[in-house]
Amino acid sequence: MPWSEIQQKHLSIWPHFTGTLSMIGSGLIIHQVLRSPKNRKRVYHRLLLAMSICDFNTSFWYFLSTWPIPAGTSNVFAPSGTQASCTAQGFFIQFGIATPLYNAALAFYYLLTIRYQWREKRMKKAERYLLAVPLVWASGTSLAALGMKLFNNANLWCWISSVPLGCKGSLRNDGVNDCERGNNQWIYRWLFFYGPLWTAILLSGVA
């Protein structure tokens, strides 16, 4: 059932405010880390910096809300973009999976320094992995989704979705692909984003 016009407006407008607040918060953290030579030398602050940069980027694309969705799209308030702008927004929102992965990396940092008493010198050897894994996963899944044409209108913004929105995809349609773009998008949402997200949450809780 489509949203009402007033619901569409609220869902489109609010991300402009929440995205702005998130960018301000992340920007302040970035500023605090970069302005201090002491902070820039510490593994903890470099992990925090990486997470904040990724979050700032994602918040910007959430701030754009429905604007990048192709103009003329029905049941969406203020769509003003093209398929290219929609694809760009979807790409960087998917890249945002790096943020919760960096949060899990920080949880491991706390585990190693507090529980196992790792010193800064030893942590620097592990830093390359803590920094690289979120970036590799975010970049790899974003590029894979780009190649599979998975980035499309998802109602609130552009992300992994199908065209048309109601199509089943080949796995739910006896092997027949009834989607113009984004075949079996629900699988890739879980594989590329929701699965890693919940894994990061669980690992952060355990660590």
Side-chain angles (χ1 to χ4, degrees):
M1 181 178 177
W3 289 314
S4 67
E5 185 176 350
I6 189 65
Q7 287 174 322
Q8 292 175 27
K9 289 182 179 180
H10 281 296
L11 290 170
S12 174
I13 292 172
W14 276 108
H16 299 315
F17 295 100
T18 56
T20 299
L21 292 175
S22 184
M23 283 190 287
I24 291 173
S26 297
L28 289 172
I29 294 174
I30 293 169
H31 175 70
Q32 287 297 318
V33 175
L34 292 179
R35 69 191 293 266
S36 170
K38 181 180 179 181
N39 287 343
R40 293 198 302 270
K41 293 179 180 178
R42 296 189 59 195
V43 174
Y44 167 77
H45 285 100
R46 287 198 289 265
L47 288 172
L48 187 62
L49 176 64
M51 183 177 71
S52 298
I53 290 173
C54 290
D55 187 64
F56 184 93
N57 173 72
T58 307
S59 298
F60 169 75
W61 291 97
Y62 279 131
F63 158 80
L64 296 181
S65 188
T66 56
W67 290 342
I69 295 175
T73 301
S74 60
N75 298 317
V76 175
F77 179 74
S80 309
T82 63
Q83 182 58 52
S85 64
C86 187
T87 297
Q89 184 184 41
F91 182 94
F92 287 108
I93 285 180
Q94 172 57 34
F95 190 87
I97 188 61
T99 301
L101 295 181
Y102 274 125
N103 193 63
L106 281 169
F108 274 103
Y109 172 88
Y110 297 136
L111 176 68
L112 294 173
T113 55
I114 298 174
R115 174 67 177 83
Y116 295 103
Q117 299 296 305
W118 280 32
R119 301 298 182 186
E120 185 73 7
K121 184 177 180 180
R122 192 177 182 186
M123 277 303 309
K124 287 183 177 180
K125 295 180 180 180
E127 180 185 13
R128 69 187 71 177
Y129 303 105
L130 296 177
L131 283 172
V133 170
L135 284 181
V136 169
W137 183 263
S139 301
T141 56
S142 297
L143 289 170
L146 178 65
M148 290 185 282
K149 299 181 179 180
L150 294 176
F151 297 133
N152 303 294
N153 166 38
N155 279 326
L156 300 179
W157 39 69
C158 293
W159 184 47
I160 297 175
S161 187
S162 61
V163 177
L165 281 172
C167 67
K168 296 179 180 179
S170 58
L171 287 180
R172 291 178 170 175
N173 198 36
D174 298 323
V176 178
N177 177 19
D178 59 339
C179 300
E180 298 174 19
R181 293 171 58 94
N183 183 35
N184 299 319
Q185 52 82 22
W186 59 276
I187 294 178
Y188 298 106
R189 283 190 174 194
W190 277 100
L191 181 62
F192 290 172
F193 195 91
Y194 293 132
L197 172 63
W198 282 105
T199 299
I201 292 172
L202 290 173
L203 289 176
S204 298
V206 171

